[in-house]
Amino acid sequence: MSQNRRIACYLILILFLCCIIQGELIWLEEIPESQILPEQNAQNGFEIYRDTLELVWEELVWFPVPESSVNEQATVAFENSWMAERNYGGKRSHEGTDLMASIDQAGYYPVVSITDGTVEQVGWLEKGGYRIGIRSGNGNYYYYAHLASYGREWKTGDAVAAGDILGYMGDTGYGPEGTTGQFPVHLHLGVYVPLGADKELAVNPYWMLKYLENSKLTYSY
Amino acid sequence: MSQNRRIACYLILILFLCCIIQGELIWLEEIPESQILPEQNAQNGFEIYRDTLELVWEELVWFPVPESSVNEQATVAFENSWMAERNYGGKRSHEGTDLMASIDQAGYYPVVSITDGTVEQVGWLEKGGYRIGIRSGNGNYYYYAHLASYGREWKTGDAVAAGDILGYMGDTGYGPEGTTGQFPVHLHLGVYVPLGADKELAVNPYWMLKYLENSKLTYSY
């Protein structure tokens, strides 16, 4: 029996040691985390994001709506509506910029590509109407929505040059295919940067459009 | 002796179990990390950075160099030299934008504050010469360097309104206090956003300056 008691004592002693060892293991893992996350990771993360955004700015070429060489009245106006509330299809925030037409006539204003790239999405979307999505060389996504019609029969994979006419400004969307007139004629522009494997993050196009206001093509319309 | 052997067997068995338990503990901790870091954290992190940058754009008011109402020759030119190499004081990358004076005359061009804010740093720096650093209401830091002189006797904590004359463009720096002429007359502008407790990250002022080119004050100089 005294032998069994000796065994029992050994078991308790060893289990006690195991607990201490495990406790230290966990303690050792916590220190680096609490040191790295706030400082190092934040720094690196922000630098990555900063450089990601830099790749958007670098590839911006033309303002999406050319100037009219014949009609001084044909202008567009836009405000910083970043994350303003939208209601169609449930409450959501506005992830883009609306360029409003001074002449509320669908199909009147040409819409050109801001950047070089390739067509990734084209056709009808309930919220976006006739839309086209261009994937740029730097991997960013430019979304042009509510078009009245397309500049040509764009197909997925088609190459696009900055300044190419993607389509004509309209008021399509907010319903089944062909729906028009649910809002004034305007171009909705969205800009998305890649985020990890298959995620994207919307960034505010307003400042980019202000920057591009000095880079307008002139068309006769 | 057989008792001792029995004890030895127990010890080995228990130590073996402890190893398994510890192995599983570590394995269990690895799973959430590998799931969370790439997706969730990146998403949240980037949204925070995006909103941090938004706070810079929102507070930009005036281009830092007013237009001359009397001398058409008095212009400034700037390029996107972001992270271009600089050599004075050891190899480093350029964390700002240089606005070069068409008239290479120290003290000729006024330099105004881009934003509202308060004076945080003022006086001589070996690399920056006579510089002034403005902390904006949104907590961002605007660094104006190489000034020939100051617009007034700025002191730390002084309130600054966008458009206030901070000083006059010069060629000070790259040596002990008072050093001039080591480079052409220009304004070096740096923009820094807060990053965690006591860190800051430089962002590229070039696009902000392009945006502000449409917002120039006019002074008689």
Side-chain angles (χ1 to χ4, degrees):
Chain A
M1 279 307 278
S2 77
Q3 284 293 2
N4 291 346
R5 223 186 263 107
R6 253 172 70 196
I7 295 167
C9 293
Y10 277 115
L11 300 187
I12 290 156
L13 177 67
I14 289 160
L15 281 168
F16 179 67
L17 288 169
C18 291
C19 293
I20 291 168
I21 292 161
Q22 284 181 12
E24 265 178 323
L25 269 184
I26 291 156
W27 179 70
L28 284 167
E29 278 156 14
E30 273 166 5
I31 286 173
E33 256 187 57
S34 59
Q35 281 177 343
I36 289 165
L37 277 177
E39 295 301 320
Q40 204 58 22
N41 283 16
Q43 180 87 42
N44 298 343
F46 206 149
E47 279 173 9
I48 291 164
Y49 177 67
R50 179 186 65 185
D51 301 343
T52 303
L53 260 191
E54 204 60 20
L55 292 177
V56 177
W57 285 98
E58 285 172 0
E59 67 185 359
L60 303 176
V61 182
W62 294 116
F63 191 80
V65 182
E67 225 156 26
S68 169
S69 57
V70 294
N71 185 353
E72 284 184 351
Q73 312 305 319
T75 60
V76 290
F78 58 99
E79 293 176 349
N80 186 9
S81 63
W82 182 242
M83 292 303 171
E85 197 173 85
R86 289 293 185 270
N87 288 311
Y88 179 82
K91 283 206 192 306
R92 57 209 168 87
S93 46
H94 195 232
E95 289 194 341
T97 303
D98 290 332
L99 295 99
M100 311 305 295
S102 61
I103 296 170
D104 188 26
Q105 184 184 323
Y108 184 77
Y109 291 80
V111 172
V112 302
S113 182
I114 294 171
T115 66
D116 295 341
T118 58
V119 176
E120 184 166 297
Q121 300 284 349
V122 61
W124 185 266
L125 271 185
E126 189 194 349
K127 291 199 183 76
Y130 289 115
R131 59 71 160 96
I132 186 164
I134 307 298
R135 179 71 57 182
S136 74
N138 288 348
N140 303 305
Y141 189 73
Y142 297 81
Y143 170 79
Y144 306 79
H146 310 311
L147 300 175
S149 62
Y150 292 104
R152 65 177 100 145
E153 280 207 357
W154 294 110
K155 281 181 277 328
T156 305
D158 286 353
V160 174
D164 284 356
I165 294 187
L166 301 173
Y168 295 87
M169 205 186 289
D171 56 357
T172 59
Y174 283 21
E177 177 153 7
T179 305
T180 62
Q182 301 300 301
F183 43 73
V185 170
H186 73 278
L187 168 68
H188 169 94
L189 174 70
V191 179
Y192 299 81
V193 298
L195 189 60
D198 56 356
K199 285 197 158 203
E200 302 205 299
L201 184 79
V203 296
N204 188 356
Y206 177 76
W207 314 109
M208 300 168 186
L209 287 166
K210 292 301 263 182
Y211 159 69
L212 286 172
E213 268 189 316
N214 300 325
S215 308
K216 286 186 179 180
L217 287 165
T218 303
Y219 282 22
S220 167
Y221 68 92
Chain B
M1 278 308 279
S2 75
Q3 284 292 5
N4 290 348
R5 222 186 265 107
R6 253 172 70 197
I7 294 166
C9 293
Y10 277 113
L11 301 188
I12 290 156
L13 177 66
I14 290 160
L15 282 169
F16 180 65
L17 287 169
C18 290
C19 294
I20 290 168
I21 292 160
Q22 285 182 12
E24 265 178 323
L25 269 185
I26 290 156
W27 178 71
L28 284 168
E29 279 156 14
E30 272 167 5
I31 285 175
E33 259 187 53
S34 60
Q35 282 176 342
I36 290 165
L37 277 176
E39 293 302 321
Q40 205 57 23
N41 283 16
Q43 179 85 46
N44 299 343
F46 276 26
E47 280 173 8
I48 291 163
Y49 304 147
R50 179 186 65 187
D51 301 345
T52 303
L53 266 187
E54 203 61 19
L55 291 177
V56 177
W57 285 98
E58 285 171 0
E59 66 186 357
L60 303 175
V61 180
W62 294 115
F63 190 78
V65 182
E67 223 156 29
S68 169
S69 57
V70 294
N71 185 351
E72 285 184 352
Q73 311 305 319
T75 59
V76 290
F78 58 99
E79 293 176 349
N80 187 8
S81 63
W82 182 242
M83 292 305 171
E85 197 173 86
R86 289 292 187 270
N87 290 311
Y88 179 84
K91 283 205 191 307
R92 57 207 167 89
S93 45
H94 193 232
E95 289 194 340
T97 303
D98 289 333
L99 294 98
M100 311 305 295
S102 61
I103 296 169
D104 189 27
Q105 184 185 323
Y108 185 77
Y109 291 80
V111 172
V112 303
S113 182
I114 294 171
T115 65
D116 296 340
T118 58
V119 176
E120 185 166 296
Q121 300 284 349
V122 62
W124 185 266
L125 271 185
E126 188 194 349
K127 289 197 185 74
Y130 290 115
R131 58 72 160 97
I132 185 163
I134 306 298
R135 179 70 59 181
S136 74
N138 289 348
N140 302 306
Y141 188 71
Y142 297 82
Y143 170 79
Y144 306 80
H146 310 312
L147 301 176
S149 62
Y150 292 104
R152 64 177 101 145
E153 279 207 358
W154 294 110
K155 281 181 279 322
T156 305
D158 285 353
V160 175
D164 283 355
I165 293 187
L166 299 173
Y168 295 87
M169 203 186 290
D171 56 356
T172 58
Y174 283 21
E177 177 152 8
T179 305
T180 62
Q182 300 301 302
F183 42 73
V185 170
H186 72 279
L187 168 68
H188 169 96
L189 174 69
V191 179
Y192 299 81
V193 298
L195 188 60
D198 56 355
K199 284 198 158 203
E200 302 204 297
L201 185 81
V203 295
N204 189 356
Y206 177 76
W207 314 108
M208 301 168 186
L209 287 166
K210 292 300 267 183
Y211 159 69
L212 286 172
E213 268 189 316
N214 300 325
S215 307
K216 286 186 178 179
L217 287 165
T218 303
Y219 282 21
S220 166
Y221 69 90

